[in-house]
Every structure is written in C-alpha cells, then in structure tokens.
Amino acid sequence: MLSAEEARVLAVLIEKETTVADSYPLTLNALRLGCNQTSNRFPVVSYEDRTVENALLSLKSIGLARFVHPSHGGRTVRYRHVADERWRLERNELAVLSVLVLRGPQTAGEVKTRAERQLEPDGATVDEALDTLAARSPEPFAVQLERRPGERERRWAHLLSGEPDDTVADPTGPITVDERPDLAGEVAELRARLDRLEALLGVEPD
C-alpha cells in the first residue's frame, strides 16, 4: 500500500522513463515538475521538494526506487524506478498502471489513448495489461469499477493506495485535442457536414 504521494512519484518515474528518455533518470526538480503538471494529471497537486524527497526515501526503502549518484564531475543525484524488477511487470503493464495513477479512473479506450507514447508495439495490449494488473495475487493492482448511471463503458482504477474514490464525477475529463490531434480535423469535418445539411434543409444559421 502506497500513499498518494508515493504512488504519484512512482508513476511519474515510470511515465518519464519512456516519454523523456534522454533526461532519465530524473533530477529532483524534474520529478517535482512532473508531479505538479497541470496537464494529463488528476488530481492536480502542488508538491514541495520535501514531499517528493520523503516519497522517494519511502519508495527506496521498499525496493521501488533507486538513487543514482553523480559520477565524477557531476553534481546532481538522479532518481529512477525499479518497479519492473520489484513487481515483475512488463513495460506495457507499468505504462497502463502509471496512467491509472496519474489520470484517475478511466475506460480501457481512454487508457489506450493516454498510454500510447509509453507502449511497446510488441508488448501486451492495454486489455491484457489491465487483466494482468487485476489478476495480481495476493493483492490486485487494478480493478474494474461498476458502471455509473449514464456511462456506456466501465472504468478501471488503480489500487496502489487502497480502494479508489469514485465519488468525483468524470474525473479524467474528456479527451483533449492535445491528446488526440486528429480530433480537430474530425470536428471541422462534422461542422462542414452540418453546414451542408442545414443548407439543404433551408435552415438559417443563428
């Protein structure tokens, strides 16, 4: 069982290992900024260095993080996760888990979109990764939530910090244009089709 701070720090290390590989392992400053991002995060937090340092020390003590001390001429300690070794999880399984931690409960389709940059093409699919996380013994890492009124699909949540809080309506928010660049084109196409339909029907625009 991890605290919310420990889970977020670990998830950021997992995410950044693939999305900013050139600057990984991370410095304390980069890790704090990753935790405090206002995009692609739910909830948005404002951690101080001490909060991140305490989480790192705890993660190190249970074998989930390592401190990379500077080599000759270096000045800055860097940090990396070792969750793959500790938990025996593959890259795609870790990617899916990190997205659930950083973005809150979401459908398998949303996980696939948001984890795309981290996924290996030849690795487990998102559905397979979710099933693996849910089937983990003795404690599962993920759970499929009951469908709420008005929802078409059931959502998934992580269990690293205990039972998920499912009281917040639509915690992940809609997929944004930043996450799906093709959405802008689709919206423009739909608008053009609507305009043509209105012209055919003789509907005057507002």
Side-chain angles (χ1 to χ4, degrees), residues 4 60-61 68 71 89 111 129 136 144 162 180 183:
K60 183 176 184 292
S61 71
V68 182
S71 56
L89 290 176
V111 173
R136 213 175 151 83
Q144 194 170 29
R180 288 278 309 279
L183 283 182

Side-chain angles (χ1 to χ4, degrees), residues 144-148 151 153-155 166:
Q144 194 170 29
L145 303 174
E146 292 299 322
R147 187 182 291 108
R148 298 184 303 183
E151 289 184 336
E153 298 181 60
R154 294 175 65 182
R155 295 171 303 142
D166 194 32

Side-chain angles (χ1 to χ4, degrees), residues 6 8 10 30 40 45 48 64 68 70 77 84 92 97 102 109 112 122 124 134 142 146 148 159 162 165 172 192 198:
E6 292 161 358
R8 175 160 294 213
L10 178 62
N40 303 325
V45 299
E48 297 180 350
L64 287 171
V68 182
V77 176
D84 51 344
N92 287 8
L97 183 60
L102 295 175
K112 182 177 180 179
D122 298 332
E146 292 299 322
R148 298 184 303 183
L159 295 172
D165 180 4
T172 58
E198 289 179 342

Side-chain angles (χ1 to χ4, degrees), residues 58-90:
S58 180
L59 291 170
K60 183 176 184 292
S61 71
I62 56 178
L64 287 171
R66 285 184 185 158
F67 295 8
V68 182
H69 294 283
S71 56
H72 179 70
R75 297 182 180 180
T76 305
V77 176
R78 292 176 176 266
Y79 307 94
R80 61 184 294 260
H81 79 86
V82 283
D84 51 344
E85 301 173 17
R86 179 71 174 82
W87 286 339
R88 300 292 191 268
L89 290 176
E90 300 297 331

Side-chain angles (χ1 to χ4, degrees), residues 15-91:
E15 176 192 66
K16 300 302 183 184
E17 182 182 22
T18 52
T19 59
V20 291
D22 291 345
S23 57
Y24 187 86
L26 301 181
T27 64
L28 178 62
N29 184 58
L31 181 52
R32 177 177 53 78
L33 291 174
C35 290
N36 294 344
Q37 280 182 210
T38 56
S39 62
N40 303 325
R41 298 288 185 266
F42 178 84
V44 173
V45 299
S46 183
Y47 291 169
E48 297 180 350
D49 284 350
R50 179 60 60 84
T51 302
V52 178
E53 288 175 327
N54 289 341
L56 284 166
L57 287 170
S58 180
L59 291 170
K60 183 176 184 292
S61 71
I62 56 178
L64 287 171
R66 285 184 185 158
F67 295 8
V68 182
H69 294 283
S71 56
H72 179 70
R75 297 182 180 180
T76 305
V77 176
R78 292 176 176 266
Y79 307 94
R80 61 184 294 260
H81 79 86
V82 283
D84 51 344
E85 301 173 17
R86 179 71 174 82
W87 286 339
R88 300 292 191 268
L89 290 176
E90 300 297 331
R91 172 170 156 180

Side-chain angles (χ1 to χ4, degrees), residues 8-9 49 71 92 97 102 118 127 129 131 139 141 189 205:
R8 175 160 294 213
V9 166
D49 284 350
S71 56
N92 287 8
L97 183 60
L102 295 175
Q118 300 182 62
D127 288 330
D131 288 340
E139 298 293 337
F141 282 1
E189 181 181 353

